[in-house]
Amino acid sequence: MKIKKLICASLLVTALTGCEKFLDKHDPTATKFSEFFNTEEDLRRVVYSSMLDVYTSPTLLQRLPFMEDGKSDDAYSRTESHHHQRIANGNFNSNTTAFLYHYELHMKHLGRLNVFIANADIPYVEDEAVREKYRNILEGIRAWHYFELVARWGSVPFFLEPADLTSALQPAKPKEEILAELFPLAEAIADRLPPDEYGSDAYMFNRYSMKAMIMRYALYFERWDMAARLAKEIMDSQKYQLHPVYGDLFSYKADKTNKEFILKMDMESHANSATQSFQYLAPQYRTGNGQSYLVPLKALVDAYWTLQGDPIDASPLHTKQEYELNPKLNRDPRLAASIFIPGDIFVNEPIEIYDPNNPMYYEKARASRSGFWYKKFVDVTDAFKTGGNMHFPFIRYAEVLLTYAEAKIMQNQVDDLAKKCINDIRKRGGLDMTAADVTLPKYATYSQQQWISLIRNERRVELAGEGRRYDDIIRWRIAEQVLNQPALGHSRMVNGRMETLKVEDRAFRPNNYLWPFHENSLKVEPGLRQNEGY
């Protein structure tokens, strides 16, 4: 047994320190870092490879930002191998491949990053400022990996230096101890980074994109003061702003020219290889290749409140059923900017989901089982091309405003700035601000719970299709409520009765707020302990 543990630990050390692809050295005879890295381009390549393999590959459907919503009540991911479908429907256990894939991906890159960072003081590039810049960016990426690991698994192995046999055998570090070390470490890294976006390599962390990432996880882990402080700091920098036209952000009209994307996947982040969001998200039409890999659900469509900023079941103008049967009726304009619904025209083709002769018939393999499609990141310019050149946001300035408002609401401190943040989002979205302005008298008597409901829904529709919903239902502890209901699609009247498409049944157990460690990981890492309930 002791020999078996040593073999397993040796495998872990190899995973945590292996860097053959990472180093990608020019000189096959080189044995020292000073021989691997002689120019800034060598260092840039390290950052590029670290980002590409996990975050910025335009064809990695397991990791693309918009695909993440397939784990949530907002969307349905039709292909099981993308790893989102089974997490959403609860049909998983500790032998499910998705958990091994994601855990090993993070741990592999953490090992490579630790090796490089440990050698960062070696003067293989003469300019110390250049070395410092790339070391800080790599330390920022390392922090991002750890935030994600802790969010998904809780207590995990935590190494800030290359692992050896002794450290590999140690138990996982408790979640709160990791966060107590990680948050101040991440802020210190951010403060060392330059404040402005780089002229090239804009996907790399700068001071404020790093702070925005920390802000996101401060909110996730209920560090309300920190989340509000960082959001305010980003606002005060005046480096970002809401783009005036919401829908243009997710098309070629503004994906490259807006000042709203703070952390992004641009073309340079994947060496200008073609993006495929049109193919992945678009409907299949007569001459196109849309795959409908991820489609919105009825729950998301119903979450778009009215033009006046009221829930559809609390509107004095129409009944809830009227809104469900006609999603175009008096709705928040962000719905039309974000989602295709039956009756819309797509590339000169009417969307007729109940006509078997229509390519978008809901039972066709490459159509939408819900009857809805995302409009975000689907630009008809790409309809007859093999690929596109779309930029995708990891973090937008809108999330900063929403974060400040939520953090203050959770502290029951709904100040003027929090209200302004909500109003700015709503006004840009096109709501009727004579009724939706949250400084109006009807909001003056709102309880904290009413404000929480408002900000959560505002966040849901503003960021729909951008990969935030699953994290939100996990941190709000509402996944047991929203993922224990069937995934539904479009509704219509049939013989005087409302019928709704059913996509699949779903289930979520109380222990699912943390992911299981895969059985293979438990065998390789003796210090790991399985999360409760698996």
Side-chain angles (χ1 to χ4, degrees), residues 26-162:
H26 296 301
D27 180 358
T29 65
T31 59
K32 298 184 296 184
F33 270 80
S34 56
E35 296 175 78
F36 296 158
F37 302 110
N38 300 299
T39 68
E40 181 174 354
E41 174 58 23
D42 293 334
L43 303 183
R44 189 206 65 79
R45 181 166 38 82
V46 175
V47 175
Y48 168 83
S49 64
S50 296
M51 290 291 290
L52 179 71
D53 200 32
V54 186
Y55 296 109
T56 62
S57 171
T59 58
L60 190 64
L61 286 109
Q62 293 86 349
R63 299 287 307 180
L64 279 169
F66 53 77
M67 290 297 298
E68 289 291 323
D69 279 2
K71 298 181 176 75
S72 78
D73 57 328
D74 272 5
Y76 170 72
S77 174
R78 74 172 178 85
T79 302
E80 185 177 298
S81 61
H82 297 157
H83 300 330
H84 311 291
Q85 183 192 112
R86 294 184 70 177
I87 293 173
N89 65 31
N91 184 25
F92 62 80
N93 56 37
S94 59
N95 283 308
T96 299
T97 304
F99 306 115
L100 183 65
Y101 169 83
H102 287 287
Y103 183 76
E104 285 190 340
L105 188 65
H106 288 299
M107 295 304 288
K108 175 180 72 174
H109 279 275
L110 282 167
R112 293 171 174 176
L113 289 165
N114 281 338
V115 169
F116 180 82
I117 293 166
N119 289 274
D121 289 328
I122 298 174
Y124 39 79
V125 173
E126 291 185 6
D127 190 333
E128 183 177 357
V130 171
R131 297 200 309 273
E132 182 73 4
K133 168 190 168 182
Y134 285 97
R135 176 172 64 180
N136 289 332
I137 292 170
L138 289 167
E139 287 183 344
I141 297 171
R142 180 173 65 181
W144 194 0
H145 280 292
Y146 273 124
F147 279 128
E148 287 200 51
L149 278 169
V150 174
R152 296 286 182 251
W153 283 277
S155 301
V156 295
F158 185 66
F159 302 97
L160 295 179
E161 61 281 320

Side-chain angles (χ1 to χ4, degrees), residues 414-477:
V414 190
D415 58 19
D416 290 343
L417 181 55
K419 293 178 181 179
K420 182 180 185 302
C421 289
I422 297 170
N423 276 345
D424 287 350
I425 293 286
R426 286 186 155 194
K427 182 178 180 181
R428 190 274 297 273
L431 273 69
D432 177 2
M433 296 306 289
T434 65
D437 184 339
V438 297
T439 65
L440 291 171
K442 73 174 184 177
Y443 294 97
T445 58
Y446 260 36
S447 66
Q448 184 185 30
Q449 188 55 53
Q450 285 176 301
W451 281 113
I452 289 173
S453 297
L454 185 149
I455 193 62
R456 287 182 177 181
N457 201 77
E458 200 64 40
R459 182 178 172 92
R460 182 180 191 179
V461 299
E462 173 68 25
L463 303 177
E466 298 177 53
R468 302 314 320 144
R469 179 63 177 173
Y470 179 72
D471 280 348
D472 284 346
I473 64 175
I474 294 297
R475 68 185 178 89
W476 292 332
R477 309 293 287 188

Side-chain angles (χ1 to χ4, degrees), residues 61 64-70 75-78 82 84 250 275-285 289-296 338-340 346 351 360 366-368 370 372-379 390 392 464-467:
L61 286 109
L64 279 169
F66 53 77
M67 290 297 298
E68 289 291 323
D69 279 2
Y76 170 72
S77 174
R78 74 172 178 85
H82 297 157
H84 311 291
F250 316 107
T275 59
Q276 303 293 339
S277 56
F278 184 94
Q279 176 183 346
Y280 296 158
L281 299 175
Q284 178 190 11
Y285 56 104
N289 60 357
Q291 293 289 340
S292 308
Y293 281 144
L294 184 81
V295 296
S338 303
I339 296 175
F340 289 109
F346 179 74
I351 296 178
M360 288 167 274
R366 286 165 52 198
S368 168
S370 71
F372 304 111
W373 285 266
Y374 282 106
K375 190 177 291 185
K376 286 182 173 180
F377 313 120
V378 175
D379 194 304
M390 186 75 68
F392 306 97
E466 298 177 53

Side-chain angles (χ1 to χ4, degrees), residues 97-281:
T97 304
F99 306 115
L100 183 65
Y101 169 83
H102 287 287
Y103 183 76
E104 285 190 340
L105 188 65
H106 288 299
M107 295 304 288
K108 175 180 72 174
H109 279 275
L110 282 167
R112 293 171 174 176
L113 289 165
N114 281 338
V115 169
F116 180 82
I117 293 166
N119 289 274
D121 289 328
I122 298 174
Y124 39 79
V125 173
E126 291 185 6
D127 190 333
E128 183 177 357
V130 171
R131 297 200 309 273
E132 182 73 4
K133 168 190 168 182
Y134 285 97
R135 176 172 64 180
N136 289 332
I137 292 170
L138 289 167
E139 287 183 344
I141 297 171
R142 180 173 65 181
W144 194 0
H145 280 292
Y146 273 124
F147 279 128
E148 287 200 51
L149 278 169
V150 174
R152 296 286 182 251
W153 283 277
S155 301
V156 295
F158 185 66
F159 302 97
L160 295 179
E161 61 281 320
D164 57 23
L165 187 59
T166 301
S167 59
L169 293 170
Q170 297 304 306
K173 194 166 188 175
K175 165 188 167 181
E176 290 304 322
E177 290 184 23
I178 295 174
L179 295 178
E181 187 172 348
L182 192 56
F183 274 116
L185 178 64
E187 283 205 70
I189 295 166
D191 287 334
R192 295 195 299 265
L193 286 166
D196 296 315
E197 185 178 279
Y198 310 105
S200 60
D201 301 318
Y203 63 92
M204 294 186 186
F205 279 123
N206 59 51
R207 181 178 305 165
Y208 291 105
S209 63
M210 180 77 185
K211 285 178 182 288
M213 187 270 287
I214 303 166
M215 173 204 75
R216 172 181 284 177
Y217 289 101
L219 193 71
Y220 188 104
F221 292 112
E222 299 185 349
R223 269 67 170 175
W224 311 125
D225 281 332
M226 180 187 295
R229 171 175 56 79
L230 289 169
K232 180 69 161 51
E233 188 174 337
I234 295 166
M235 286 187 271
D236 289 345
S237 75
Q238 299 185 343
K239 293 184 178 296
Y240 308 98
Q241 63 188 43
L242 294 179
H243 188 73
V245 182
Y246 178 75
D248 288 357
L249 286 166
F250 316 107
S251 73
Y252 293 131
K253 293 178 181 178
D255 70 309
K256 300 172 186 63
T257 58
N258 71 81
K259 295 183 178 180
E260 186 164 342
F261 291 2
I262 298 177
L263 185 61
K264 59 192 173 186
M265 180 197 301
D266 63 4
M267 292 299 292
E268 196 170 7
S269 71
H270 48 83
N272 293 295
S273 56
T275 59
Q276 303 293 339
S277 56
F278 184 94
Q279 176 183 346
Y280 296 158
L281 299 175

